[in-house]
Amino acid sequence: KQWYQRRVAITAGIIGCGVTRLAAIIDPVYEKVSRDVKMISELNLQLKYALNTHCHADHVTGTAALRTATGCQTIISKASAAKADLFLNDNEKVKIGNLELEARSTPGHTDGCMTFVLHSHGMCFTGDALMIRACGRTDFQQGDAQRLYHSVHSRVFSLPEEFSVYPAHDYQGRTQSSVREEKLYNPRLTKSEEEFATIMENLGLRYPAKIDVSVPWNMRCGPTVVEDKEILADIAANKPPAN
């Protein structure tokens, strides 16, 4: 199940095992935790894990609030240095009932970026490493263009071409691509490493609007209270958490 959050152009996804009814959610947004809990209940699922592909800079994560609401465990890569219940290293697996996610380290946008691969269903959740006809920026948060180029080519483009790609963001409302499409048509990652580095250096992107409130919250796994009005107002006003 996927949702598109227009304000931050983020796509969150739920993976559920049809046999055990256990589920995981990837890259949830704090402002939409109540919606997610409702949908999980309606699908007759039990949330086991709330995962982040990395420490996001453009929205506040809903992982800790989902833990409060459902009793799930939160997960992020160890390399992110962010707080969570469980930490992943490269190539480790996450069991969700009869399903298994492989965690592939794909740094370059941040040190802690991971791509989650569901081999049994031909799906990969690439976070901000690989997006639809684009990729995550590399000019802040430990960004490194050469590292990102190698990550995508060695860890994502090495997957079978028919695998579906589900990024964390798309600013045109799209939610899905494929490994084949991105290998053929991604205007940045089809270039040479040197050309890619030049493209990334000259994107001229604005300072992220929500970075000053998002990163401090996300380093601590997000707010623990479900959609608290005061916290929501602070996020809207770009006011970071106290201490």
Side-chain angles (χ1 to χ4, degrees), residues 126-202:
T126 53
D128 288 7
L130 174 64
M131 294 190 261
I132 299 171
R133 309 298 192 268
C135 62
R137 60 195 293 176
T138 57
D139 58 333
F140 68 95
Q141 269 190 302
Q142 315 99 42
D144 185 312
Q146 285 83 4
R147 200 177 185 198
L148 179 59
Y149 186 89
H150 284 284
S151 289
V152 173
H153 278 266
S154 65
R155 307 311 306 277
V156 181
F157 285 175
S158 60
L159 291 167
E161 291 191 339
E162 66 271 17
F163 271 40
S164 297
V165 172
Y166 297 92
H169 297 282
D170 186 84
Y171 296 94
Q172 298 182 42
R174 300 166 297 187
T175 59
Q176 179 183 348
S177 183
S178 71
V179 171
R180 179 180 182 276
E181 285 183 43
E182 296 310 312
K183 287 173 71 173
L184 288 173
Y185 305 122
N186 191 295
R188 301 176 188 174
L189 287 154
T190 51
K191 307 297 185 184
S192 69
E193 180 181 342
E194 292 74 20
E195 290 172 314
F196 176 77
T198 300
I199 290 170
M200 299 306 292
E201 186 177 352
N202 292 283

Side-chain angles (χ1 to χ4, degrees), residues 4-211:
Y4 184 75
Q5 169 90 357
R6 187 169 300 278
R7 184 184 63 77
V8 289
I10 189 165
T11 304
I14 291 176
I15 301 167
C17 173
V19 177
T20 65
R21 311 308 299 173
L22 295 176
I25 188 168
I26 298 173
D27 290 332
V29 176
Y30 179 69
E31 291 93 328
K32 295 298 180 179
V33 166
S34 294
R35 176 204 63 185
D36 295 346
V37 171
K38 182 175 184 288
M39 179 59 68
I40 290 163
S41 175
E42 290 175 349
L43 294 172
N44 191 30
L45 295 172
Q46 177 186 345
L47 192 65
K48 186 175 183 181
Y49 298 121
L51 303 93
N52 278 306
T53 53
H54 64 291
C55 180
H56 293 271
D58 55 1
H59 72 276
V60 174
T61 181
T63 47
L66 281 164
R67 179 178 58 201
T68 299
T70 69
C72 71
Q73 290 184 296
T74 62
I75 300 180
I76 199 167
S77 70
K78 186 175 182 180
S80 71
K83 291 184 178 180
D85 299 311
L86 302 171
F87 301 98
L88 291 171
N89 293 306
D90 189 26
N91 297 321
E92 290 189 331
K93 308 295 194 299
V94 179
K95 292 281 290 183
I96 310 154
N98 294 339
L99 303 178
E100 184 176 81
L101 281 178
E102 177 194 4
R104 293 191 172 196
S105 179
T106 48
H109 172 62
T110 73
D111 283 347
C113 286
M114 282 195 149
T115 290
F116 298 123
V117 184
L118 188 63
H119 289 277
S120 61
H121 289 64
M123 304 164 74
C124 59
F125 300 85
T126 53
D128 288 7
L130 174 64
M131 294 190 261
I132 299 171
R133 309 298 192 268
C135 62
R137 60 195 293 176
T138 57
D139 58 333
F140 68 95
Q141 269 190 302
Q142 315 99 42
D144 185 312
Q146 285 83 4
R147 200 177 185 198
L148 179 59
Y149 186 89
H150 284 284
S151 289
V152 173
H153 278 266
S154 65
R155 307 311 306 277
V156 181
F157 285 175
S158 60
L159 291 167
E161 291 191 339
E162 66 271 17
F163 271 40
S164 297
V165 172
Y166 297 92
H169 297 282
D170 186 84
Y171 296 94
Q172 298 182 42
R174 300 166 297 187
T175 59
Q176 179 183 348
S177 183
S178 71
V179 171
R180 179 180 182 276
E181 285 183 43
E182 296 310 312
K183 287 173 71 173
L184 288 173
Y185 305 122
N186 191 295
R188 301 176 188 174
L189 287 154
T190 51
K191 307 297 185 184
S192 69
E193 180 181 342
E194 292 74 20
E195 290 172 314
F196 176 77
T198 300
I199 290 170
M200 299 306 292
E201 186 177 352
N202 292 283
L203 288 178
L205 298 173
R206 293 178 295 177
Y207 186 76
K210 290 293 180 182
I211 188 171

